[in-house]
Amino acid sequence: MTKLTTPESQTLTYENWLDANGNPAGGVASATGLCISWQNGPLGRGDERKEPNGAFMETVIDALIERLWFYQNASNGKFTCTENADAIVHLRDAYRALRKRTAQRESRGVEGTHEA
């Protein structure tokens, strides 16, 4: 377990796991009000495809975007600011980059596997 103290004085505890072949195999991240169990292992392809057993980075990014969107729009403008808007743009860029990676892996027929 690794611990990191955030600027907000919260302790983020995280652990990233590798399988016997040195491939990503899930992990966990937690802090006050946060507990993420990452997807452990590939989902597979075709008829061998499995249900997810953990979170994906895209899902976590979506949650962050939705929360910032709430601040920008549902709070009657009370918390609307340029910094929130900038954060949304950057998170959307990160999301698009991850989706691009997935699309490229799918086009090579390796999405859902540990093949490079």
Side-chain angles (χ1 to χ4, degrees):
M1 262 302 154
T2 303
K3 291 186 178 188
L4 169 73
T5 302
T6 69
E8 298 77 25
S9 298
Q10 286 194 340
T11 299
L12 173 65
T13 302
Y14 59 93
E15 190 173 312
N16 294 299
W17 307 327
L18 299 173
D19 67 14
N21 297 317
N23 297 311
V28 293
S30 63
T32 303
L34 172 72
C35 182
I36 300 172
S37 177
W38 298 110
Q39 171 63 28
N40 189 348
L43 295 177
R45 299 186 54 78
D47 292 340
E48 303 289 319
R49 188 124 175 121
K50 302 173 196 165
E51 289 294 318
N53 59 34
F56 291 91
M57 290 181 286
E58 293 89 337
T59 306
V60 174
I61 291 171
D62 267 341
L64 294 168
I65 291 169
E66 288 305 313
R67 186 64 177 174
L68 285 165
W69 187 253
F70 170 77
Y71 283 143
Q72 289 294 88
N73 296 289
S75 62
N76 297 320
K78 187 175 178 181
F79 296 104
T80 299
C81 64
T82 302
E83 294 79 9
N84 286 346
D86 288 347
I88 290 170
V89 166
H90 293 300
L91 286 165
R92 285 182 175 160
D93 286 345
Y95 183 90
R96 278 192 291 276
L98 292 171
R99 296 303 303 154
K100 181 178 179 182
R101 177 193 67 180
T102 298
Q104 290 171 344
R105 289 182 55 75
E106 190 60 51
S107 72
R108 294 193 323 269
V110 298
E111 178 59 18
T113 74
H114 274 139
E115 292 181 44

